[in-house]
Each structure stands twice: as C-alpha cells, then as structure tokens.
C-alpha cells in the first residue's frame, strides 16, 4: 500500500517508515499538517497514519478537510493514551481506526494490515437486501431506495455483518472483534461511533430506520418495526 505517515517526531516517523518498507509498503513522510493535507489532496494514498498534534495544521483539521473533500484514503489516527476525546473526535471526523501512543510497532503493523484488507468481513458475490437497503458485496456498493450510499471500508464491513443476519442482535464486543479485530471491551465506543456514522448515511435520508439499538446488548439491521427494542414478550 502507499502509506502517508504524518508525524512531526522525525525519529518516530522514520522508524515507522522503515518498518512499513520492510513489510512491502511504500511510505512517504510529512512532518507538517498543511503539507500533509496538500500531499494527500493531490494524490490520495491508500492509507494515512495521522498524528493529531502537528505543526502547520492539527491532525483533526487535516482529517476533516480531507473527508469533506471526499478523500478516499483510509485513516489511522495516532493519539496519546489519555486523549480519549481526541480519539472520539477523530472517529467522528471519518478516521477508520486509531492507535494510542506509545505503541508497539507490531501493533501498528497489525492495525495497518487489518485496514488494508479489502474487507475485514469475508467477501462473497452475495447481494444482501433488507427492505430498500441493498448491498452488492462483491463490488462493495450500497444503495438505499435506489440512491447510492458512500461508505468508508469499515462502515461497509460493519453494515455487511449486520445485513448478513437481519434481525440478529450483535453485541458491541462481537462487532468490535469481527470488524476491527480488537478484543478489548474498552474499544466498543468505536462501534457506537460507527453506528452513528452509518445511521447518518443509511437511515437519515430515508423514511424508515433500519439500524436498531437493543439497549444494553447491541445492534441489528431489520425492517421489522420495533426490531431490537426490548419487548415484554421477547422472553416468553
Ligand atoms: Ca506530534
């Protein structure tokens, strides 16, 4: 993959770049947010490893501007371990995943490999349909009421998993494990943020919501009214 490393700690950036090169990737480094924005706008890389605290323009602004401009690059943000707010803002702004600093190089490589996989959920030639929501899994296209819905790779994976078993409630932990290959309870907030992103794209423009929350348990996709809400009869 062509990977843009945006990191102002030069030694760390070089360290990451050489590890990526050893693993067959083609990295470039930018130490400044504004330069990174210009480089990624001119030629979007496959993936951007984006530090948030940067000279020139901060990472969140870089991310927001790229996503507003429709930049298709996947984005992994680097945050300090105590910057939970920044992680949430980053995911809300369109990042696909995050890694807290300081990190082990193996962990960064694993995250990058997971993001680079075309689909984290098994690919197939299936056409998935729930009401007027259609997913062409092979060509990774989604429409709602015939209108195309543009999803990021991880948004697509999450929706695919939910659409494969309409009506089944998936726990946040299971979604986290299967879509992000993360196994910590701590990361399930990421799932909530991606569900919100999906709702904005899939449900907001339509009359009937298809993504449902099962309070305290998880989420499902269904066209049955009241799916996912607790019913007094559900334990009968
Ligand atoms: Ca920095």
């Amino acid at each position: 993959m062509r990977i843009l490393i945006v990191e102002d700690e030069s030694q760390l950036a070089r360290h990451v770049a050489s590890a990526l090169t050893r693993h067959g990737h083609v990295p470039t480094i930018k130490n400044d947010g504004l330069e990174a924005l210009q480089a990624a706008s001119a030629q979007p890389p496959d993936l951007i490893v984006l530090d948030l605290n940067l000279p020139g323009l901060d990472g969140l602004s870089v991310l927001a501007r790229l996503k507003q401009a429709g930049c298709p690059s996947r984005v992994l943000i680097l945050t300090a371990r105590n910057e939970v707010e920044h992680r949430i803002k980053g995911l809300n702004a369109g990042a696909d995943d995050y890694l807290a600093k300081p990190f082990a190089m193996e962990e960064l490589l694993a995250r990058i490999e997971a993001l680079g996989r075309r689909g984290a959920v098994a690919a197939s030639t299936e056409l998935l349909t729930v009401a007027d929501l259609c997913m062409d899994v092979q060509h990774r296209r989604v429409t709602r009421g015939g209108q195309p819905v543009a999803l990021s790779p991880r948004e697509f994976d999450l929706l695919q998993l939910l659409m494969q078993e309409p009506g089944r409630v998936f726990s946040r932990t299971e979604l986290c494990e299967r879509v992000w290959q993360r196994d910590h309870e701590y990361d399930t907030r990421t799932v909530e943020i991606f569900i919100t992103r999906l709702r904005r794209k899939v449900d907001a423009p339509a009359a009937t919501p298809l993504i449902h929350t099962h309070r305290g348990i998880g989420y499902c996709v269904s066209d049955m009214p009241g799916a996912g809400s607790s019913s007094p009869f559900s334990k009968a």
Side-chain angles (χ1 to χ4, degrees):
M1 280 192 286
R2 289 175 304 115
I3 300 176
L4 176 61
I5 302 162
V6 189
E7 170 58 75
D8 58 325
E9 293 167 49
S10 307
Q11 203 179 351
L12 175 61
R14 283 199 302 272
H15 190 43
V16 170
S18 62
L20 290 175
T21 303
R22 279 198 304 278
H23 284 77
H25 298 294
V26 183
T28 42
I29 298 173
K30 292 289 173 195
N31 304 118
D32 173 285
L34 210 50
E35 286 176 20
L37 178 63
Q38 284 159 356
S41 303
Q43 195 177 21
D46 299 308
L47 177 79
I48 303 172
V49 177
L50 182 63
D51 185 33
L52 294 186
N53 197 356
L54 291 167
L57 186 66
D58 69 277
L60 282 175
S61 302
V62 172
L63 175 61
R65 290 203 202 172
L66 285 174
K67 290 297 159 183
Q68 271 161 21
C71 174
S73 306
R74 292 149 206 218
V75 179
L76 173 79
I77 51 173
L78 300 177
T79 65
R81 199 163 286 281
N82 54 358
E83 290 175 337
V84 178
E85 275 310 303
H86 285 171
R87 164 163 70 89
I88 290 168
K89 279 186 186 158
L91 291 169
N92 278 328
D96 294 286
D97 204 353
Y98 69 92
L99 193 59
K101 285 179 171 181
F103 53 83
M105 195 57 72
E106 293 72 30
E107 175 68 4
L108 177 65
L109 290 167
R111 295 279 112 220
I112 286 172
E113 290 306 323
L115 280 174
R117 243 169 275 148
R118 187 161 166 76
V121 180
S124 74
T125 55
E126 269 178 295
L127 206 60
L128 302 173
T129 310
V130 177
D132 61 347
L133 177 63
C134 297
M135 172 179 281
D136 176 343
V137 177
Q138 189 181 15
H139 299 101
R140 295 183 71 81
R141 281 196 286 259
V142 175
T143 58
R144 178 85 204 257
Q147 297 298 311
V149 180
L151 298 180
S152 78
R154 285 299 164 267
E155 289 165 359
F156 185 97
D157 292 337
L158 179 59
L159 184 63
Q160 182 188 346
L161 196 55
L162 292 167
M163 286 182 74
Q164 277 171 347
E165 294 179 70
R168 184 189 147 197
V169 180
F170 288 82
S171 71
R172 291 171 182 78
T173 306
E174 180 179 0
L175 294 171
C176 204
E177 285 172 4
R178 292 182 63 181
V179 175
W180 283 269
Q181 287 94 50
R182 285 184 184 267
D183 55 2
H184 301 298
E185 195 69 31
Y186 158 80
D187 288 312
T188 54
R189 181 69 202 268
T190 302
V191 176
E192 292 170 27
I193 292 168
F194 271 73
I195 289 285
T196 303
R197 279 165 56 170
L198 273 184
R199 282 197 163 120
R200 207 154 49 213
K201 293 180 175 183
V202 171
D203 276 347
T208 318
L210 295 175
I211 300 168
H212 305 279
T213 302
H214 197 129
R215 204 175 291 271
I217 301 179
Y219 306 98
C220 74
V221 162
S222 173
D223 60 349
M224 302 288 282
S229 63
S230 293
S231 154
F233 306 112
S234 61
K235 288 192 180 104

